Amino acid sequence: MDSMAPFSDPVLSQQSAEAVIQLAKQYIQMHGRKPVFMEVCGSHTMALAKTGVKTRLKEYVQLIAGPGCPVCVTDQRTIDSMISLSNGRGIILCTFGDMMRVPGSRHSLLEAKTKGKDIRVVYSPLDSIRIAEQNPDKEIIFLGIGFETTIPLLAAAIKEAEQRGLTNFSIWMTTKLVEPVLRVLLDAGEIHLDGFLLPGHVSVVLGKESYSFLTEEYRMPGVISGFEPVQLLSSIYKLLQLCIENKAKIINDYPYAVSESGNGAAKSLMKKYLKPGDEDWRGIGTIPNSGLVLKDNYQDFDAKKKFKITIASPRKTKCRCGEVIRGLTVPEECILFNKACTPANPIGPCMVSAEGTCAAHYHYMREE
Amino acid sequence: MLQRINLAHGEGGELTHRLIKDVFEKAFGHGEHTKHDSAIFQWKPETIALTTDSYVVKPIFFPGGNIGKLAVAGTVNDLAVSGAVPKFMTAGFIIEEGLPLKDLKEIVHSMADEAEKAGIRIIAGDTKVVEKGSADRLFINTSGIGTVESGHKLQPKHIQKGDSIILSGTIGDHGIAILSAREELGLLTDTVSDCASLNGLIQSLIQTIDGIRLLKDPTRGGLATALVELCEDFHFNCEIDEEFIPIRDDVHGACDILGFDPLYLANEGKMILLVDSKKEEQALQLLRSHPLGENAAVIGQVTGTTNSAGKLYLKTPLGTTRRLQRLAGLMLPRIC
């Protein structure tokens, strides 16, 4: 039997959905409106759409996708820089699969690959270490994109490269941290939120305690959730309970994966090799100290120091990905959605990523 | 004979001759067929099925098979799901300079084995060798001919509301086996490709059961894309139930890690059957009594016919329904 099967059991799923709906009705009666929750994680956005949880609850709970997909929040200038890097001679660009189709101002990495650029999809940054060893006459650049889930792997790759004495390996760091962007969203006050469905994967690294700022500074409840229907519904139920009882509390509803203080080994790896740095977020702008960059003594592995590229201003499109990731609009309200912008021909990153909000709506919530 | 393929093997001279004699003829037993520029054979006037396909799988060896076995099984299955009995096929090889001869021999022998098992004869072929970098080790093109015997035809015209949709086994095995074999993804699973010729099983089905409306093998694009195509081409709507779709745990796990949807992963030894619901149980029993159909399951029903392009819906375990579309673009592994 599939070990995850109980979490997608039809009877349990439907009972859980009914329980959430009953509690949401209570909330609606109390407040005269639906509760509004933001799922921070792109995998949650996908799971909520794919499993039907979002559709089932749509009359009772408003679920808004947040800035939790690493591809979607990558600024267009950053994408243009990555594509530009592939033009360099003797360079092998390694990247996660998601990045291949993200359009820059003119083309994507996938199109650059078809023009003969050496761009390789890897599943782990450590795979690019192997490629660096096998190609001593080439410069290997790994595109270091991702949230706290992925950042420890980048640090581990630096450690590995250092131990193996590699001089032809570097990372183009453009990482994102959850806390700073949540602060920006809450401080901006553009959207009204009643609580956060907190990310499962990121929380494995961060631990429950890292969200205390939400309750202490913003009085905002949050529940850390898994990804199967029963897990998602359980977390939404607990979030509703907190809202009804007016309790600003963080609940760890994914305890078999997430601990109080997170993954110590991953955190210490990040601490050893990386330091906070400013990052550009698509649709939001530069957020101070919202990413991690290489510490000065590891500059040899910093592709931004090793390779100089010039980038023109990005081409403007009518893409509304920037508003989608801030929860200000839904994909269907974008004039490009399912017309000029489809997964086969994406205009914006939210349509490209396996975790993108527009892709989730296109794949799982589109009737025609 | 040289141990690696070089450009001269494709020049049409002595090395080509020896390659054909020592590798292809030895495996396929062409004999008389290769003495002319065409294969010449006797043919009674019958209803004929003809198909062609190219195989560019990477890597060329994977758990459960190789590009050669895949090329034969793929062509056999294309004929078989059309209701035809596979008879003859051709095989064209585009070989990258430097391919070890032992690899080619292994592939050609597994083609011969699979062809013998499926009862199809490989009677004509072609060999080209291209410079290193111009191809990825080996590409194979196959064409197949089969006969459709009267009385054993499929019945797409009789598709009606209530017809059962049966899947012959677990989905996504081939897709995940191939991804695992590509070591760059670092995906370690024991998943073996389902690559197999289904013609024996299919012939038993269509000879035994009256009421089989349609068959299709869900190869590239997976179960969802194949069913969408059937719905559109044959004008019916259907609903499949996620809960009943057989998926191996390791395939499910790998999909979770990669962010892939198993409904869109390739299969090379599975078929979708549309069957009169009254014959559903009989079809299931027959399938399950065969090693290639032991995990067969009813996964949904036809919900109605239509004059326009039909639609495919998926019922989730939560009881909601969503429309399934064709695979859109490339499936690429996600970041986290």
Side-chain angles (χ1 to χ4, degrees), chain A residues 1-2 8 10 13-14 50-53 56 96-98 101 110 123 127 150 233 355 364 366-368, chain B residues 184-185 243 249 252 257-258 261 311 313 316-320 322-323 325 328 330 332-336:
Chain A
M1 191 180 175
D2 184 342
S8 56
S13 296
Q14 290 177 36
K50 187 177 171 185
T51 57
V53 169
R56 182 76 180 94
F96 294 118
D98 290 45
R101 284 189 297 129
L110 196 61
Y123 189 64
D127 295 335
T150 317
L233 287 161
E355 300 165 1
Y364 302 124
R366 183 171 53 107
E367 178 50 29
E368 291 307 320
Chain B
E184 68 257 34
L185 280 187
E243 194 193 343
D249 284 358
H252 200 191
I257 291 167
L258 295 167
D261 189 336
K311 295 172 186 173
Y313 293 91
T316 69
L318 200 56
T320 57
R322 62 180 163 87
R323 190 174 167 194
Q325 314 274 350
L330 276 176
L332 293 164
R334 68 175 173 206
I335 290 176
C336 69

Side-chain angles (χ1 to χ4, degrees), chain A residues 126-142:
Chain A
L126 293 168
D127 295 335
S128 55
I129 296 286
R130 180 172 46 83
I131 293 170
E133 279 190 324
Q134 288 165 353
N135 296 274
D137 56 331
K138 301 264 176 75
E139 280 287 344
I140 284 66
I141 307 173
F142 185 80

Side-chain angles (χ1 to χ4, degrees), chain B residues 29-241:
Chain B
H30 287 143
E32 290 302 307
H33 291 301
T34 54
K35 289 183 177 170
H36 300 280
D37 280 357
S38 304
I40 294 172
F41 51 92
Q42 298 283 316
W43 201 272
K44 282 186 273 177
E46 292 182 78
T47 305
I48 305 296
L50 172 67
T51 186
T52 189
D53 213 339
S54 297
Y55 297 85
V56 294
V57 63
K58 181 182 179 178
I60 57 175
F61 292 96
F62 49 82
N66 61 50
I67 190 171
K69 182 182 179 186
L70 190 66
V72 174
T75 292
V76 165
N77 290 345
D78 282 345
L79 292 168
V81 293
S82 308
V85 178
K87 295 286 187 188
F88 299 105
M89 64 182 283
T90 66
F93 296 81
I94 295 172
I95 310 169
E96 185 188 24
E97 177 187 19
L99 180 77
L101 193 66
K102 71 170 182 50
D103 287 357
L104 182 65
K105 280 183 175 170
E106 188 177 337
I107 287 163
V108 168
H109 278 111
S110 54
M111 288 180 81
D113 286 348
E114 193 63 23
E116 192 182 341
K117 266 193 263 173
I120 195 168
R121 292 184 65 196
I122 302 172
I123 57 167
D126 177 50
T127 307
K128 296 284 184 291
V129 180
V130 296
E131 282 180 41
K132 197 159 186 66
S134 299
D136 196 351
R137 302 194 75 190
L138 176 64
F139 299 152
I140 301 176
N141 171 269
T142 54
S143 294
I145 286 181
T147 55
V148 182
E149 291 169 15
S150 54
H152 294 148
K153 286 182 182 165
L154 301 172
Q155 307 164 335
K157 280 182 189 166
H158 296 153
I159 292 171
Q160 57 180 298
K161 186 176 175 180
D163 281 351
S164 302
I165 299 164
I166 298 177
L167 185 64
S168 68
T170 53
I171 53 165
D173 302 8
H174 179 74
I176 292 300
I178 292 288
L179 281 169
S180 308
R182 288 181 195 166
E183 287 175 358
E184 68 257 34
L185 280 187
L187 192 64
L188 299 172
T189 74
D190 297 328
T191 316
V192 172
S193 167
D194 55 355
C195 176
S197 299
L198 295 166
N199 59 318
L201 178 56
I202 289 174
Q203 276 305 305
S204 307
L205 279 164
I206 57 181
Q207 283 174 16
T208 315
I209 300 168
D210 180 31
I212 296 186
R213 320 283 198 216
L214 265 182
L215 298 167
K216 191 169 177 76
D217 51 343
T219 51
R220 283 180 311 158
L223 172 68
T225 305
L227 262 175
V228 167
E229 282 171 4
L230 287 181
C231 288
E232 289 186 359
D233 292 347
F234 293 95
H235 305 295
F236 64 90
N237 296 327
C238 71
E239 183 176 290
I240 55 173
D241 196 322

Side-chain angles (χ1 to χ4, degrees), chain A residues 149-306:
Chain A
T149 330
T150 317
I151 300 173
L153 295 173
L154 303 176
I158 299 294
K159 182 182 176 187
E160 197 69 21
E162 187 189 20
Q163 283 176 349
R164 297 186 191 203
L166 289 178
T167 56
N168 65 333
F169 173 79
S170 58
I171 298 184
W172 186 272
M173 291 291 281
T174 177
T175 60
K176 304 285 191 289
L177 301 174
V178 167
E179 182 179 332
V181 75
L182 292 189
R183 284 179 178 280
V184 166
L185 281 181
L186 290 168
D187 290 339
E190 293 175 311
I191 43 167
H192 171 81
L193 291 178
D194 295 304
F196 283 109
L197 198 63
L198 294 166
H201 297 143
V202 160
S203 303
V204 172
V205 175
L206 288 180
K208 180 191 158 193
E209 65 187 21
S210 62
Y211 300 110
S212 55
F213 74 98
L214 286 176
T215 55
E216 289 163 11
E217 297 177 43
Y218 296 94
R219 275 203 55 77
M220 184 63 68
V223 178
I224 301 167
S225 179
F227 299 88
E228 298 294 325
V230 173
Q231 296 173 314
L232 290 163
L233 287 161
S234 160
S235 299
I236 295 169
Y237 185 88
K238 286 174 182 164
L239 203 45
L240 267 166
Q241 273 184 323
L242 290 176
C243 290
I244 286 171
E245 292 166 14
N246 196 24
K247 282 185 185 163
K249 201 176 153 190
I250 303 297
I251 293 176
N252 179 8
D253 203 24
Y254 198 29
Y256 20 84
V258 176
S259 67
E260 190 69 21
S261 56
N263 184 328
K267 282 181 172 177
S268 67
L269 253 183
M270 288 197 282
K271 203 173 169 187
K272 181 173 180 195
Y273 292 96
L274 307 170
K275 63 176 184 181
D278 299 351
E279 269 299 330
D280 298 331
W281 293 64
R282 188 182 181 101
I284 297 174
T286 306
I287 305 178
N289 291 332
S290 63
L292 292 177
V293 296
L294 283 156
K295 282 185 174 172
D296 294 342
N297 41 338
Y298 299 108
Q299 283 189 9
D300 290 349
F301 300 111
D302 190 341
K304 285 183 177 167
K305 301 269 164 49
K306 254 179 150 175

